[in-house]
Amino acid sequence: MSAAAKAIAAQGLARRAFSLGAVKAFDNALQFLLPVVLVRCLDAHTFGEYRLFWLAVGTVMALATFSMPGALYYFLPRSDAPRRRLYIHQTLAFLACTGLAAAFIVSPLNPWMPTTLAPLAKYGALMPAFVALWGTSVLLDYLPTIEERIALQAYANISLALARAALVAGGAWLTGDMGVILWLLLATVLLKLALLLAYIGRFHGWGRPWFKPAVFGEQIRYTAPFGLSSACYVLRSQADQWVAATLFTLHSFASFSIAAILGQLVNIFRTSVVEAFMPSMSRLEAAGELKSMMEMNARANAMVGMLLMPMLGFVFVFAAEIVSLVYTSAYVDAAAVMRVYVVGLLALVVELSSVLQLLRQGMFNLGMNIAILAVSVPLSWAGGVHLGLAGAAAGSVAALYLDRMIVLRRIAAIFGVPLRAQQHWRELAGYLAWSALAAAAAWLVVHGFFGESALVVRLAVGFIVMALVYAPANLGRRP
């Protein structure tokens, strides 16, 4: 390619990345704002049912999809039209079957259904029907992007996100009834399935063959390690929520789940940085420049640390004010859980999953996630029993640090870069120290002079003090 062609291609990719990033940010913003509305429309018990519903859906979907939709990124771009249609048909059929299996798991007909889900059994077939349709229609979240129809993907995602948020918020505002909310969610997932079927019919058709065992076996063999590893990681991240849902009341679980939203926000921030650095890291790995690849990873992590650590420090000292302002004081119990999560989320500053992916360590990652899951669940259970609601988060926090220790040692064993040279540890320690100092100063000023002020005023003053302490010493530095 000529320099001009490369520049045009780079600009096109940048526009696509920006478009998809904007859509993702919009969708996540709606997911964050919707509970803010629901806590003001639903009583604590009903809101707890709503959060339990989505926890169950997220867990069974982690198992049911088996990463089959994501694997189409590998298969579709290198196939001709008939082969692409076959891959899509097989994936759709697979998702329909696993969606039905997932629906049975959460159905009152399941004799082994966990007692934790008993509060949702009174809604009968609504939840299983939603799960079956949601699992099948998830293909729409991938297919237009894989086929580079970015505008269609954006329109579909935004339209569905707006419809779901508007219907759920409106139903909660008018009725406060979880049954009505489930009917409205069912309507939105039927719309999503209709759009998926229309898309496949328009661009690929429904011609035969629908299934070829040899081709399907190829899909499964490629997907299995990623699907199992992804499922274990999701189960690991959700295990403490299941512990909280089992040990405590629905109101307490709702508070716990609110605190867990912090992790989603941190992951959005980290993902944007990883996606920006990943192509360059991949080229360095392909050229055999492993030390340069690790240096780029260290730079990315230092950049994340510089911006993320003060944010986590602010959340730690003002957790109660944040929860009371955003979710009302009825869920202030979430503040203690949020502080525990902040301690764990500091470990996420050191992002290493991209390195494992480039080093083709899929099976190692799967084994590690299984082992850590086996450790984190008992820790969360013991913490919940002996320390209360905040203690139930202990398993996730321990899992994050154990994960980082194991991966750092694995990377050192693969290509000989010692732990002390893998990251910019001194810079990260400096950002952490300055964040702690700035957070302490903000807390002292707010509680010393603005203790009786409105929540908005206390948070604004705390933010300004933190910025004045942290920014001059750190934001001008280049990671």
Side-chain angles (χ1 to χ4, degrees):
M1 295 176 65
S2 66
K6 288 181 180 179
I8 293 172
Q11 291 172 4
L13 290 172
R15 283 194 297 270
R16 291 178 184 177
F18 177 79
S19 299
L20 291 174
V23 171
K24 185 186 298 184
F26 179 80
D27 190 19
N28 280 282
L30 284 180
Q31 292 180 36
F32 173 77
L33 292 173
L34 184 56
V36 176
V37 176
L38 295 182
V39 295
R40 290 163 169 82
C41 302
L42 305 176
D43 60 67
H45 182 85
T46 305
F47 182 67
E49 289 182 342
Y50 177 82
R51 297 297 294 175
L52 181 62
F53 168 82
W54 279 111
L55 176 61
V57 171
T59 300
V60 295
M61 285 302 99
L63 301 170
T65 61
F66 208 61
S67 293
M68 285 287 280
L72 294 178
Y73 277 104
Y74 176 83
F75 291 107
L76 295 191
R78 59 189 71 203
S79 304
D80 58 18
R83 191 82 162 186
R84 286 198 299 272
R85 183 172 63 245
L86 176 61
Y87 282 129
I88 292 169
H89 288 177
Q90 290 182 161
T91 302
L92 183 63
F94 177 87
L95 292 174
C97 292
T98 57
L100 288 173
F104 175 76
I105 292 173
V106 299
S107 166
L109 299 176
N110 177 13
W112 303 284
M113 188 177 74
T115 56
T116 306
L117 295 179
L120 300 175
K122 61 187 175 185
Y123 300 109
L126 286 175
M127 182 175 177
F130 178 86
V131 167
L133 295 171
W134 186 263
T136 305
S137 62
V138 74
L139 185 58
L140 185 64
D141 297 333
Y142 295 83
L143 199 50
T145 298
I146 294 171
E147 299 184 321
E148 300 181 289
R149 297 185 176 97
I150 307 302
L152 278 177
Q153 185 76 77
Y155 291 142
N157 286 3
I158 291 174
S159 300
L160 290 168
L162 282 173
R164 186 169 68 247
L167 287 174
V168 171
W173 183 272
L174 293 173
T175 69
D177 189 326
M178 183 64 182
V180 172
I181 292 174
L182 288 178
W183 275 110
L184 294 171
L185 284 171
L186 194 59
T188 61
V189 77
L190 282 170
L191 173 61
K192 185 175 183 179
L193 181 62
L195 290 175
L196 171 63
L197 297 179
Y199 177 92
I200 296 175
R202 166 66 178 81
F203 293 105
H204 299 280
W206 299 100
R208 295 178 181 274
W210 262 78
F211 184 81
K212 285 186 176 181
V215 178
F216 184 72
E218 177 190 12
Q219 278 186 272
I220 289 294
R221 284 191 297 273
Y222 176 84
T223 306
F226 299 102
L228 291 172
S229 181
S230 175
C232 287
Y233 184 83
V234 172
L235 291 175
R236 199 183 92 188
S237 64
Q238 293 180 341
D240 52 356
Q241 293 191 58
W242 281 110
V243 169
T246 303
L247 293 178
F248 304 103
T249 66
L250 277 175
H251 183 194
S252 296
F253 164 71
S255 298
F256 192 96
S257 68
I258 284 173
I261 292 175
L262 180 62
Q264 299 174 16
L265 298 176
V266 169
N267 275 321
I268 294 169
F269 179 81
R270 290 172 63 250
T271 299
S272 63
V273 176
V274 170
E275 289 177 352
F277 278 74
M278 189 71 165
S280 297
M281 289 173 59
S282 181
R283 285 192 293 270
L284 290 171
E285 191 278 334
E289 298 287 344
L290 298 182
K291 291 186 178 180
S292 297
M293 180 192 72
M294 284 303 303
E295 172 60 25
M296 183 162 289
N297 172 260
R299 282 183 54 206
N301 291 337
M303 182 184 300
V304 170
M306 180 178 66
L307 300 174
L308 187 58
M309 285 182 180
M311 184 192 83
L312 292 176
F314 180 80
V315 172
F316 186 90
V317 296
F318 295 110
E321 288 85 351
I322 293 171
V323 172
S324 297
L325 178 65
V326 178
Y327 296 103
T328 76
S329 58
Y331 298 94
V332 74
D333 288 349
V337 183
M338 196 171 283
R339 292 190 179 101
V340 176
Y341 273 130
V342 165
V343 175
L345 292 172
L346 286 171
L348 288 183
V349 168
V350 181
E351 189 281 325
L352 297 168
S353 59
S354 59
V355 177
L356 286 182
Q357 182 178 345
L358 293 173
L359 295 177
R360 293 172 288 279
Q361 295 293 302
M363 292 306 296
F364 166 80
N365 201 36
L366 171 60
M368 180 187 68
N369 278 320
I370 292 174
I372 293 178
L373 178 62
V375 172
S376 65
V377 173
L379 280 176
S380 287
W381 188 273
V385 169
H386 297 291
L387 301 175
L389 192 64
S396 288
V397 172
L400 289 170
Y401 282 94
L402 185 59
D403 178 300
R404 292 304 178 266
M405 289 174 57
I406 293 173
V407 174
L408 287 168
R409 290 184 178 278
R410 178 69 173 182
I411 292 171
I414 290 174
F415 54 86
V417 177
L419 269 64
R420 63 179 181 276
Q422 289 185 30
Q423 301 293 322
H424 297 169
W425 299 114
R426 182 173 295 180
E427 289 184 29
L428 291 174
Y431 296 141
L432 179 60
W434 274 105
S435 298
L437 178 63
W443 186 88
L444 289 172
V445 170
V446 169
H447 287 267
F449 300 98
F450 298 90
E452 302 301 322
S453 301
L455 291 173
V456 175
V457 174
R458 294 165 69 181
L459 289 172
V461 171
F463 179 83
I464 292 171
V465 172
M466 279 203 69
L468 291 175
V469 174
Y470 183 85
N474 296 283
L475 295 187
R477 297 167 59 183
R478 182 177 179 179

